Amino acid sequence: MAQIMFPPPYIAADRAAQSLRDSGYAVLAPQDFAHWIGADLDQLHALDADWQSLPPDAFLKDGGRYRRRRHSCFVAQAGSLQQVPHRAHWQPVEYNALHGGMQRMFDPMPDATTQSPVWARLLEKLAGLADQVFCAGGGHERWFVESHQFRIDTTDGIGRPTPEGAHRDGVDLVAVILVARQGVKGGETRVFEATGPSGMRFTLTEPWSVMLLDDARMIHETTPIQPAQAGGVRDTLVLTYRRGNFQGAEVVDAA
């Protein structure tokens, strides 16, 4: 049976803020995204090698071995970016029923990536977008940014990009960036209103295509992948922007 894939509903990058306000999401094509952040695709592809050496995710509660990842945290404000001391990733069970309530300490991203000019451009541009969407009167918020590098593989047959199912992340802005998709079928992205009937389904296939979400308004998930060829993988970069503090900072402070 042939696999049916719906194409991504790409829009121009300069319309991303308005689309987030109007619809709660925006999807950008790779070349347009690169140009929008002041880079070119070759500079973004220079980061691809990171995904070849991600360590296994030791916290999967479904018993799976299909996910590898790294995680680092930053603070962005008004065109500046600072990496913060390495910290655990934490979510409440309200947003992640499978892994919520756990202090998950993953290995950090390589310095060669986090200190590269294109990395700073990428995170700072998305912080500026978050300012446009969430800050009234042209202000600049202090954004607490978590970066997740994921590889989902199909070594055991099925890989689950979102084992927690359809969810929100408990932040303001979410960016899901497809870095690579090789030898797999499935992996359909689904986004729909948290309090309404509207939704959209599509499959990201082009490296460095981007889905942006207003997390308070939209629920999202990605369906499981299966091997179309031996060694099939799906690589993503997920960036979350949150006002106030990192999730879990209050928990750690209170401990």
Side-chain angles (χ1 to χ4, degrees):
M1 183 176 179
Q3 181 185 5
I4 299 174
M5 294 196 302
F6 298 98
Y10 291 141
I11 64 167
D14 60 9
R15 292 176 48 212
Q18 193 60 52
S19 183
L20 283 163
R21 294 189 203 102
D22 293 343
S23 304
Y25 69 93
V27 187
L28 311 182
Q31 190 68 52
D32 194 25
F33 175 66
H35 180 74
W36 181 67
I37 68 169
D40 59 49
L41 275 178
D42 287 343
Q43 290 175 294
L44 291 174
H45 282 302
L47 306 178
D48 293 357
D50 280 6
W51 277 261
Q52 303 301 320
S53 59
L54 298 181
D57 184 337
F59 296 94
L60 280 171
K61 292 179 70 175
D62 65 0
R65 299 179 299 172
Y66 52 82
R67 185 159 75 180
R68 295 172 172 271
R69 69 190 295 179
R70 289 184 185 272
H71 168 252
S72 290
C73 296
F74 308 82
V75 173
Q77 184 175 28
S80 67
L81 181 71
Q82 178 182 3
Q83 186 169 3
V84 303
H86 194 52
R87 62 188 311 280
H89 176 53
W90 186 90
Q91 292 175 294
V93 293
E94 290 84 359
Y95 292 113
N96 191 327
L98 184 61
H99 297 115
M102 300 172 62
Q103 293 282 351
R104 292 181 284 167
M105 183 67 83
F106 301 106
D107 287 359
M109 294 175 57
D111 290 344
T113 295
T114 61
Q115 295 173 13
S116 68
V118 72
W119 181 255
R121 257 182 247 142
L122 170 59
L123 267 63
E124 289 168 10
K125 187 65 176 184
L126 288 173
L129 176 66
D131 283 340
Q132 292 180 58
V133 176
F134 301 106
C135 297
H140 296 285
E141 185 61 73
R142 191 169 185 231
W143 294 105
F144 294 84
V145 185
E146 294 197 52
S147 171
H148 307 265
Q149 295 175 302
F150 291 105
R151 165 163 283 189
I152 308 299
D153 70 42
T154 56
T155 302
D156 292 337
I158 294 179
R160 295 177 173 84
T162 53
E164 64 272 40
H167 65 283
R168 291 163 52 213
D169 288 327
V171 298
D172 292 288
L173 178 70
V174 177
V176 179
I177 303 172
L178 181 74
V179 175
R181 176 190 168 99
Q182 300 172 344
V184 300
K185 56 186 178 179
E188 180 181 82
T189 296
R190 298 173 179 176
V191 295
F192 48 95
E193 294 175 335
T195 59
S198 297
M200 176 71 68
R201 54 190 290 204
F202 53 89
T203 303
L204 295 174
T205 60
E206 295 185 271
W208 291 95
S209 52
V210 184
M211 177 182 70
L212 303 165
L213 296 172
D214 179 341
D215 188 62
R217 294 174 56 188
M218 308 303 291
I219 294 173
H220 66 282
E221 67 176 334
T222 302
T223 62
I225 59 172
Q226 293 177 287
Q229 301 171 5
V233 297
R234 183 178 185 269
D235 295 342
T236 55
L237 171 65
V238 177
L239 301 167
T240 64
Y241 287 70
R242 186 175 189 262
R243 289 170 285 190
N245 215 326
F246 295 107
Q247 287 195 101
E250 300 88 350
V251 175
V252 172
D253 292 344

